[in-house]
Amino acid sequence: MPQSTLPGSAVTTAVETALEACGVDLATLGGSHEARSCLNGEVLVTLPLATEADISAAIGEAHEAYLAWRDVPAPVRGNLVKRWAELLQLHKADLATIVTAEAGKVTSEALGEVQEMIDICDFAVGQSRQLYGKTMPSERPGHRLMETWHPLGVVGVISAFNFPVAVYSWNTALALICGDTVVWKPSEMTTLSALAAHTLLARAVADVGAPTNVHKLLIADRAGGEQLVDDPRVALISATGSVRMGREVGPRVAQRFGRALLELGGNNAAIVTASADLDLALRGIVFAAVGTAGQRCTSMRRLIVHESVVGALTEKLVAAYGTLRIGSPVAADTLVGPIINKASFDAMQAALAAAVEQGGTVLCGGTRVLEDEFPGAYYVEPAIVSMPGQTGIVQHETFAPILYVMTYTTLDQALALQNGVPQGLSSAIFTNDLIEAEHFLSVGGSDCGIANVNIGTSGAEIGGAFGGEKETGGGRESGSDSWKAYMRQATNTVNYSGLLPLAQGVKFL
Ligand code: UN1
């Protein structure tokens, strides 16, 4: 159901007001980079692009700052993140306005994204008092064996357009409390969201008196990203994006023996069993498949349904898709905003054509709407496609709202389909059968980094570790003990015996 009440160039005014509220001085902007709104395709603001020399200088300054910051006690470092959270809370609506304008998220999801930043800051502040190392019993008398965790250095963060600020904040909040400094290259499609989040952090830095350069923002193109990846002064590259991007970043960082934390593509599925509560499943599926216009890493792309309920469920789904309000993400009742750009739209159309060619049937959606009103923006009806099997296009992550539906007879078949793709980020099962649920979570069940029961594939809380296996890249960010990725571990043996017994009973001298 397309809606045509879009704000037009009022978007630009709203973004300028929000940027100023966050502390950005608009007079200092201007340059060759055009920050656009995907709501209408308009240029919002222009920004200067960092040159090779700027990038090198930024990394150098961040490294200098690291040498001072690592000596600040971790709980004191936590004060910086605590202040950042306060400013994010104060400017939650401003930052959400900019996220909506650039990435097209509906207001509730944009506010949720900023809330996710505040949540990880809270988590990181607590973590700043819990950078625990273990003490182990030594095999030698009069010896102490223990481990300590030390800051790592400069962390390079490369982030994607779909979560323009939250995923970056997972990395930054933890890196800062761990004693690292951060150089951030955001997506070129969401540079204003980045500028606002960075400015709020710069204000927090000033407020608590932390070193100015603990955090640097690079508005840079692809070559700038490559420079960051290749610079040996950057200890860890944490990159979110496509598998194609990860295939380049991983080996380049490994080549110089740097560390990489990769969060790449997903091809997330839900299994719906015969015992599932179909109304609950319906809501979980629609949010996961359609939320953020199908542009989350965790978006549901495949539905594996027991043959006995597939008819009833697809009927409900097609009916629900028919009521989705598509249009201005700032209108209170909109659920589906625009997708990011023409390339995404073209990829979606190509995927739908391939699916039909491979025997699929489009049950609903796939059409562009509001084209006359907004020729420079891409509003699409989310699509559901019934597929006879899982070869071809279903193996690929298309970053757009397409849900492929397949059927199964036995749970083993369902699990084989669930795991039978190259990616391994998120997964779900809808069931009221304890045995099915436990099978899904067991070692022979889902092979993904995230496996949920009676919840969709997206919308994870920050408290758990976030990331996935196989082509998703293996990295873990956000909660649990992900902080360890941002530190180096040292093992210490202290001998207070006055003798020199050797381990493993070795006799020497
Ligand atoms: C992403 O899409 O890269 O679980 C991150 C979710 C969000 C984070 C998604 N909390 O959907």
Side-chain angles (χ1 to χ4, degrees):
M1 196 187 294
Q3 292 193 327
S4 60
T5 51
L6 277 156
S9 61
V11 179
T12 308
T13 314
V15 167
E16 284 177 353
T17 307
L19 283 169
E20 276 178 332
C22 290
V24 174
D25 181 357
L26 293 176
T28 62
L29 304 181
S32 61
H33 174 73
E34 294 181 334
R36 285 179 188 275
S37 171
C38 74
L39 271 54
N40 51 23
E42 280 178 17
V43 176
L44 296 163
V45 175
T46 64
L47 299 171
L49 265 187
T51 63
E52 203 179 321
D54 294 337
I55 295 170
S56 182
I59 297 169
E61 286 163 7
H63 193 265
E64 272 297 300
Y66 157 68
L67 297 177
W69 187 238
R70 68 180 181 180
D71 286 335
V72 175
V76 179
R77 298 195 293 249
N79 290 337
L80 167 59
V81 175
K82 192 173 179 177
R83 179 65 187 139
W84 192 27
E86 287 168 1
L87 292 173
L88 287 167
Q89 184 67 57
L90 217 57
H91 294 285
K92 188 172 173 181
D94 296 318
L95 195 46
T97 295
I98 306 168
V99 168
T100 292
E102 285 193 312
K105 290 194 184 198
V106 297
T107 300
S108 167
E109 290 194 76
L111 288 168
E113 168 147 16
V114 185
Q115 186 59 47
E116 193 157 348
M117 301 178 79
I118 297 165
D119 292 345
I120 194 67
C121 286
D122 282 354
F123 181 95
V125 173
Q127 189 68 59
S128 73
R129 291 182 182 271
Q130 302 174 80
L131 304 177
Y132 301 136
K134 291 177 182 145
T135 301
M136 305 83 165
S138 169
E139 65 190 52
R140 287 168 282 184
H143 281 61
R144 183 151 66 94
L145 181 57
M146 62 180 189
E147 66 187 19
T148 41
W149 291 89
H150 298 296
L152 202 57
V154 177
V155 175
V157 178
I158 296 176
S159 59
F161 81 86
N162 66 326
F163 272 81
V165 284
V167 174
Y168 138 80
S169 74
W170 297 349
N171 286 281
T172 301
L174 286 179
L176 288 174
I177 63 106
C178 288
D180 303 325
T181 56
V182 176
V183 179
W184 179 25
K185 188 220 168 286
S187 160
E188 287 160 76
M189 289 176 277
T190 50
T191 48
L192 298 180
S193 306
L195 184 61
H198 168 77
T199 304
L200 291 173
L201 179 50
R203 283 171 60 186
V205 164
D207 289 351
V208 303
T212 313
N213 292 319
V214 293
H215 182 248
K216 307 293 282 187
L217 172 65
L218 300 177
I219 305 296
D221 56 15
R222 188 194 158 104
E226 288 174 3
Q227 190 183 339
L228 183 66
V229 164
D230 289 338
D231 195 307
R233 293 170 297 178
V234 180
L236 168 69
I237 290 286
S238 177
T240 306
S242 64
V243 171
R244 192 184 50 74
M245 182 269 276
R247 270 194 222 287
E248 287 191 32
V249 170
R252 283 174 88 137
V253 177
Q255 185 68 29
R256 62 174 177 84
F257 296 102
R259 286 198 203 174
L261 197 172
L262 300 176
E263 201 246 284
L264 310 175
N267 192 352
N268 317 299
I271 296 172
V272 182
T273 73
S275 71
D277 174 338
L278 290 191
D279 289 323
L280 182 141
L282 177 75
R283 286 167 45 215
I285 295 162
V286 175
F287 173 63
V290 169
T292 323
Q295 299 171 111
R296 291 190 186 213
C297 298
T298 49
S299 289
M300 194 183 294
R301 312 211 175 276
R302 298 177 295 135
L303 196 56
I304 302 163
V305 191
H306 191 264
E307 58 190 5
S308 65
V309 291
V310 71
L313 183 64
T314 42
E315 201 173 300
K316 282 175 191 280
L317 272 170
V318 170
Y321 270 48
T323 67
L324 292 171
R325 291 170 299 275
I326 305 162
S328 165
V330 290
D333 53 355
T334 301
L335 291 176
V336 187
I339 56 174
I340 191 73
N341 57 22
K342 182 173 186 318
S344 276
F345 176 71
D346 291 346
M348 181 177 181
Q349 296 310 304
L352 289 171
V356 169
E357 183 139 315
Q358 291 159 16
T361 307
V362 178
L363 302 179
C364 67
T367 310
R368 185 173 173 193
V369 295
L370 299 169
E371 185 176 355
D372 294 341
E373 213 166 335
F374 298 99
Y378 294 85
Y379 293 84
V380 288
E381 290 174 343
I384 303 176
V385 186
S386 167
M387 292 301 290
Q390 198 172 247
T391 51
I393 192 67
V394 188
Q395 294 287 318
H396 297 274
E397 178 192 48
T398 302
F399 221 59
I402 304 176
L403 182 64
Y404 300 110
V405 182
M406 292 159 290
T407 57
Y408 76 91
T409 308
T410 66
L411 188 61
D412 281 347
Q413 285 171 347
L415 289 172
L417 283 168
Q418 142 64 37
N419 295 338
V421 292
Q423 312 83 353
L425 179 56
S426 187
S427 59
I429 190 168
F430 288 92
T431 179
N432 278 341
D433 182 326
L434 175 73
I435 293 171
E436 287 176 337
E438 288 293 338
H439 267 295
F440 179 74
L441 301 178
S442 74
V443 59
S446 164
D447 64 1
C448 291
I450 298 171
N452 296 333
V453 176
N454 290 333
I455 294 176
T457 50
S458 68
E461 301 175 15
I462 58 91
F466 184 97
E469 304 304 328
K470 302 192 293 187
E471 286 190 0
T472 303
R476 289 296 184 277
E477 298 173 303
S478 188
S480 186
D481 57 359
S482 305
W483 61 272
K484 290 180 176 171
Y486 304 86
M487 303 200 86
R488 67 180 174 85
Q489 183 180 28
T491 302
N492 316 123
T493 310
V494 180
N495 172 11
Y496 58 94
S497 69
L499 304 168
L500 197 70
L502 300 178
Q504 295 90 41
V506 171
K507 303 282 179 234
F508 206 84
L509 285 182

